[in-house]
Structures are given as C-alpha cells and as structure tokens.
Amino acid sequence: MAERDDPGIIGRRVQQLRVERGLTQRQLAEPAYTPAYVSTLEAGRVRPSDDALRHLADRLGVAFEELATGRPAHLATDLRLRLTEAQRALATGAAEAAAEQYAALLAEARGHQLGEAEAVALLGLGECGIDTGELAEARRYFELAEQALADAPLPARVPALRGRAVSHYLAGELRYAVYLLESTLDELNRGGLHDPDALLLLYASVIGPYMDMGAHARAAQAAEYALALAPQAADPALVARMHRSVARTLLAEGRLAEADASLAKAAELYRQLQIRTELANCHWMRGYVYAQNGDLERAEAELREARAMLTAQRAALYTSQVAVELADVLHRRGKSDEAAALLHEVLSDFSPERGALHSAAAHRLLGIIAEDTRDTEAAEEHYVRALSLLERAGAAGDLADLCRLLGDLLRRTGRVEAALDAYRTGLGHRTAPGTTTLGPAPAQPPL
C-alpha cells in the first residue's frame, strides 16, 4: 500500500467526510472508540492505527486506502491496467496513440503522487520517442524516469538508463551510449545485483553500438553473455530482442546460417507477442542476412516488407534506416535509379543528431552511384559528407572503408597527395583498437 498522509491531513479528511454524512463524533466513534479520540484525531494530534482507520473507513463508507491516502479506491490498479494498454499499443506499433495514453496517465499519476506509475508512464513516453525518431524528447523522458526512480534499486532503473543510451546511440553518439551501458553493467555485476532481465536488456542493447564501432570481440562477448542469460529471463520480449542483436555478431563472424536461425526465433516470439515494430526489425535483419549471403532477391523482399510494416506504424526513424539498406540491395541488383530516388527521399529525415550512421551510409551509397555515372564531383561531395558524419559518431570500421573509397576517387582524378591523406586516415581508423572510453570490458556476470 502507498504511504499514508500526515495525521493532520487524515484528521481533516475524517472531519470533512463525517460532516458530509451528517454524523456526530460519537456516532463515528462508537462502539470501539470514544468521541474524545475522534476529536483528537480530527485535530491532527494523534496518528491513528490501521485498526482505527479501518473502523472509521467502515463507518464513513469509504475504502481504507482512500481514507489513509486521499486516493480513490483501486486507483493504482486501474492506472496499472491502463498503462498496460498503452504498452500494448506501443508494442503493436501505434506509437502516437500510445504517447497520448501515456501523457494522460503521467498527469494522473503525478496528480495522485503515484511514483511507480509516473516512472512507467515516463518510460513509455521515452520508448514512443524512440519509435517516432524524436530522440531529444525521448532522452528527456528517460532522464525524468531516472529521477523518479532515484531511490529504487539499480535493476529497477536499468530500463531508463538503457533507454537514454539507445537515444544517444541512434543520434550517432556511439561512445557515450557504450559508456552508459558498460558502466551500468559494471555496477550491476560488481555489486552482486545479478538481475537476469536487467543484464539481458543491457547486453542485448550494447551489441549494436559495439558492432558500429568496430569492437567485434566485445560484441561477440556480449552476445555470449546474452545467450547464456536468456533462459533465466522472465520477459520473452527481451529474449526476442536479444536474438535479433546476437544475429548482428554472428553476421560479422560470417556465421550466416546461425544468424538466420536467431532471427527466425526472434520473429516467432514477436509474432506471438504481436510486437509489430520489433517484428519489422526482424524482417530488416533477415534482409541484411540475405544481402550478406548474396541472395539479393530475398533480401529485397524482406527489406520491403520491413519498410512497409514500419511505415504503417509511423516509426519514422527506423523506416528511413531500412530504406538505406533497401537502396543498397536495389543498387546491387542494378536498380540504381530507384535506389538513388529512395535515398534522396529519406535523407531529409536524418540529421547529425538523428540517424547519423544511416545518413552517412546514404551519402556513401549516393557517392558510389554517382561514380558509376562518372559524376566524380557529386561522388566526392557525398563521400566528404559521409566522412564528417562518421567522424562525429566514431564508427571506426565504416570510416576506414569510406576513406578507401574517397582515396580511390581522388587517385583516379589525379590528386595523389590528397588520396594518400585519405588512405592514411583510413589506416588509422582500421588499426584503432575499437574499444571504448572505459578501457577494460565490463565484469562478467555469474552464468
């Protein structure tokens, strides 16, 4: 039960309800208590026991909780039910509708000082922001959720910390995202707070940033930990998310069949849970698997399916990211005009603060398409834009590849010194260790 109000507030509440019902202090008190006790209680000079409050609540015809806290009976339960409905709306892709529900529930929770419900609503609003690509707004909600949970144990704060890290990651701030995730993992593991759901959520979330930074060994290690934790986790949605993240590591190691199997498991779980945004992401990753394996026809079909599902759910940022990968497949299939049109269409959805890595990928691909048509000036412009975005994000592997492309272009156009500079820059990124600002990897959980 929620914490009681102060004796003075309870006393005034008892007096107001008694007067409204036309009862005297004697009628309210008897047979268990005296009129003098009720008078003292109404004056706020005594802290009533639970038994006394139950007696008074029964005589006044109200619930014990309402008399003790001023909140309508079953309010907390009703709020939890409606929060679950908002979570379901978000899970099935109706992010805008879910955001409206969460906003209304947040106001109600704050009005009644229900801290737990307030935190859940803030987390939901943050996840809605992630889905719709409003990353700065999402981050603000996650920060507020952390504040609301400031006195809670660390495992309870993990969803807010993870949400903040993901918002930084999607904005292209890879190193800071990894710092948040790794430091939280360290605190959990070193402090003996081995909550399987919390650990699984963090390990699954850190795989993507590791991969984009070129830290493949750490990604593989995180994937192994996530897989080991999966049987202990109570939330099947987390297991599905983990399978999708692990697939990225398997891809980097060339284990395509295993990656496809992981994605198939995730897709089945998401079908059962009806989490359509995540199911769309599974189609996205399966398309990526097929593209890596050279099966471009199936890759195109999967990526088109993912984009259609995400568009229907108005998941703007994810839709644009899928479009970049679809454009790459279209280009490889000889449909360069369609690919270029698609890239120009979605580039306006990106910014250095929002989707930087995929924006860089779009400019890289446009540069390649421009080179194919011998438009070297446009190609160089796209490569330079991509380079600027990747340098800001610290994506080492992608930077090295892009420097090679730019160096080749400069060499073919007779600018040998500039080409050598580009190659040197690329070599510097290729030989970088790809670790994070923390140094040693996070402590290993007990498995």
Side-chain angles (χ1 to χ4, degrees):
M1 189 196 72
E3 188 176 343
R4 281 197 210 174
D5 286 333
D6 291 335
I9 297 174
I10 292 176
R12 289 193 293 275
R13 186 177 298 131
V14 169
Q15 182 180 42
Q16 180 183 345
L17 290 169
R18 178 179 65 77
V19 171
E20 287 175 358
R21 284 153 178 73
L23 298 174
T24 65
Q25 290 180 337
R26 180 178 298 279
Q27 289 171 322
L28 180 59
E30 292 179 343
Y33 299 92
T34 65
Y37 175 76
V38 171
S39 176
T40 305
L41 188 153
E42 288 184 349
R45 294 197 298 271
V46 64
R47 183 176 183 82
S49 67
D50 285 355
D51 286 342
L53 278 181
R54 287 193 179 92
H55 167 81
L56 296 172
D58 183 59
R59 300 287 286 169
L60 292 167
V62 298
F64 170 84
E65 183 179 353
E66 185 171 354
L67 193 60
T69 68
R71 297 163 193 154
H74 309 301
L75 172 67
T77 303
D78 179 59
L79 270 176
R80 278 195 295 272
L81 177 62
R82 285 184 286 150
L83 282 166
T84 302
E85 291 169 355
Q87 288 166 332
R88 183 186 303 164
L90 177 60
T92 53
E96 292 181 356
E100 291 179 8
Q101 294 175 49
Y102 279 125
L105 290 164
L106 175 62
E108 196 168 342
R110 282 176 169 168
H112 292 287
Q113 297 182 319
L114 291 169
E116 184 181 342
E118 178 183 347
V120 174
L122 287 166
L123 284 170
L125 285 166
E127 293 293 344
C128 290
I130 293 288
D131 263 25
T132 58
E134 301 297 328
L135 300 179
E137 191 78 352
R139 190 178 309 140
R140 185 175 70 86
Y141 284 124
F142 287 128
E143 288 168 352
L144 289 170
E146 282 186 72
Q147 293 171 21
L149 295 165
D151 297 328
L154 180 57
R157 303 199 307 273
V158 161
L161 285 159
R162 175 259 175 193
R164 187 153 61 92
V166 169
S167 67
H168 283 289
Y169 167 49
L170 291 175
E173 300 164 31
L174 273 67
R175 288 188 178 275
Y176 187 62
V178 169
Y179 164 77
L180 287 174
L181 294 166
E182 283 193 344
S183 56
T184 307
L185 280 165
D186 262 339
E187 193 175 346
L188 281 170
N189 288 325
R190 296 193 191 284
L193 302 170
H194 306 303
D195 183 283
D197 285 350
L199 288 170
L200 178 57
L201 185 58
L202 292 167
Y203 280 120
S205 299
V206 81
I207 291 171
Y210 277 157
M211 293 292 291
D212 287 340
M213 289 172 62
H216 295 159
R218 288 206 180 184
Q221 185 183 58
E224 291 299 324
Y225 292 161
L227 283 166
L229 288 162
Q232 305 174 51
D235 186 351
L238 290 183
V239 180
R241 181 184 293 156
M242 177 272 302
H243 278 300
R244 183 164 56 85
S245 296
V246 164
R248 295 195 67 184
T249 302
L250 296 171
L251 283 170
E253 296 176 354
R255 296 154 64 183
L256 300 174
E258 292 173 68
D260 193 45
S262 264
L263 293 168
K265 289 176 186 175
E268 182 55 33
L269 281 164
Y270 287 134
R271 284 189 192 96
Q272 294 169 11
L273 294 165
Q274 295 183 325
I275 302 178
R276 291 194 54 82
T277 298
E278 296 291 352
L279 181 55
N281 287 337
C282 284
H283 284 290
W284 176 1
M285 287 300 293
R286 292 191 82 173
Y288 185 75
V289 170
Y290 292 136
Q292 292 295 301
N293 206 23
D295 191 345
L296 299 180
E297 185 176 352
R298 292 175 76 183
E300 181 180 340
E302 291 284 354
L303 291 170
R304 286 192 187 277
E305 175 70 13
R307 186 166 183 251
M309 292 172 71
L310 291 167
T311 301
Q313 293 153 225
R314 300 182 183 179
L317 184 57
Y318 289 139
T319 304
S320 300
Q321 291 174 342
V322 171
V324 174
E325 299 203 22
L326 174 59
D328 181 57
V329 171
L330 292 172
H331 170 65
R332 290 166 64 187
R333 296 198 71 195
K335 305 176 183 179
S336 295
D337 288 345
E338 184 180 354
L342 184 57
L343 292 169
H344 284 297
E345 178 186 332
V346 300
L347 263 177
S348 60
D349 295 330
F350 296 123
S351 71
E353 293 76 33
R354 185 171 175 269
L357 290 173
H358 281 78
S359 179
H363 280 296
R364 174 189 176 278
L365 185 52
L366 283 168
I368 292 172
I369 293 171
E371 275 206 82
D372 290 344
T373 60
R374 303 188 184 282
D375 188 349
T376 55
E377 186 176 337
E380 182 178 347
E381 183 181 341
H382 285 300
Y383 289 153
V384 169
R385 286 188 186 180
L387 195 62
S388 172
L389 289 162
L390 291 174
E391 283 178 334
R392 217 168 303 165
D398 291 339
L399 265 167
D401 176 65
L402 188 61
C403 287
R404 178 188 59 79
L405 288 171
L406 179 58
D408 289 349
L409 173 64
L410 293 169
R411 180 173 52 81
R412 283 195 297 272
T413 54
R415 287 170 284 174
V416 177
E417 285 301 320
L420 286 171
D421 285 341
Y423 290 140
R424 289 189 193 101
T425 302
L427 283 170
H429 288 294
R430 179 63 73 191
T431 55
T435 54
T436 70
T437 52
L438 282 188
Q444 178 177 344
L447 302 174

